[in-house]
Structures are given as C-alpha cells and as structure tokens.
C-alpha cells in the first residue's frame, strides 16, 4: 500500500503546523514551518531536497530531539522518511538512485577506514565525514532495514509507539 504525503506515509503523523513555506534561498536548512533551500537546476533534486527538509518537521522538531547530540535520530530518521516518501512521489527507481548517490556512495566503499564509527557515538563529538556518515546514510539504512525485517505495518506500529513514548517522556519528565 502506498500512502501519499509525509502525514500519511512515514512518519504517518499529521503535520503539526498550520502552514509550510519553502523558499529558494541558499542554506538547504530546515526550520519549523519553513525550509530555506538553495536553487537547484534539476527540479527533481529540488523536490527531493524539499521533501527532506519538510520531513524534519517530525524529527527533530515535533519530537523535540536534541539534534546536536543525536544526529542519527534527526538526520537519520529524516533521511529514511525522505527515501520512503520519494518512493511514492518520485518513483522507486529514482528514490533508490538518490539514496545510493547522496546517502551511501560516499562511505560504503571505505568500510574499514577511520570514518566508520558506531552510530551511537554522540554527534557533538564527531566532525567531518565521520559525522555525516553517522547522521545520514548509515542510520537511515538501519531504519529502512528494520522496516524490511518487520514489514510495513509492524514498523509503523513500532515507530508510532516510539514517538508516543518519547513525547510522553518529554512532556511528563
Ligand atoms: Zn536534514
């Protein structure tokens, strides 16, 4: 089954703000209710980047995750959602190509070098390529692998269980 839109796909939680704005500026940066993306000549890549920034609405903003410390739950989840919504919006072949090109190719060919570190290492003590690997492609691949192992329905149920438990933990410490 294919769900259109991040609210109905993954994470599958309604968009929590009244509006969203995407501007062609210069930063490729997300904010609550806004994405400031650089201009890209390829409209498909522009859309791909915009979907990534909008996916940040849930991780970290909605969840309140410390993005500087837990990058694997900020960029990692967002990159997984970017792939899942891309499969529906851009097509499975294009989504797979972008994932390989932008999220995997830069680190998968060097499995033994010093940039390969456990994902759990806090992002605020990493830098350079090791930081990027641990924040984007590697955790996203783990989340997508988990989805493949659990199946769509159980993955969705577990994701929502995690999100609900985390929100209760944040709101009732
Ligand atoms: Zn991002």
């Amino acid at each position: 089954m294919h769900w259109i839109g991040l609210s109905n796909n993954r994470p599958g939680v309604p968009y929590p703000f009244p509006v969203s704005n995407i501007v062609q500026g210069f930063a490729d940066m997300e904010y609550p209710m806004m994405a400031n993306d650089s201009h890209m000549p390829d409209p498909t890549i522009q859309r791909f980047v915009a979907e990534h920034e909008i996916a940040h609405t849930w991780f970290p903003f909605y969840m309140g995750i410390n993005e500087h410390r837990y990058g694997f739950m900020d960029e990692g989840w967002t990159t997984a959602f970017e792939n899942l919504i891309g499969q529906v919006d851009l097509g499975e072949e294009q989504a797979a190509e972008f994932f390989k090109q932008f999220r995997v190719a830069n680190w998968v060919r060097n499995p033994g070098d010093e940039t390969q570190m456990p994902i759990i290492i806090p992002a605020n003590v990493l830098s350079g390529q090791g930081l990027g690997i641990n924040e984007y492609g590697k955790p996203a691949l783990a989340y997508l692998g988990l989805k493949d192992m659990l199946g769509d329905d159980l993955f969705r149920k577990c994701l929502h269980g995690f999100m609900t438990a985390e929100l209760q933990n944040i709101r009732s410490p």
Side-chain angles (χ1 to χ4, degrees), residues 28-30 52-53 56 59 74-76 78-79 82 103 135-136:
D28 299 329
M29 182 55 69
E30 68 279 3
H52 174 97
E53 308 306 356
H56 274 298
F59 287 81
D74 164 29
E75 298 296 352
T78 294
T79 301
E82 152 206 302
R103 308 309 189 189
E135 286 200 343
Y136 292 84

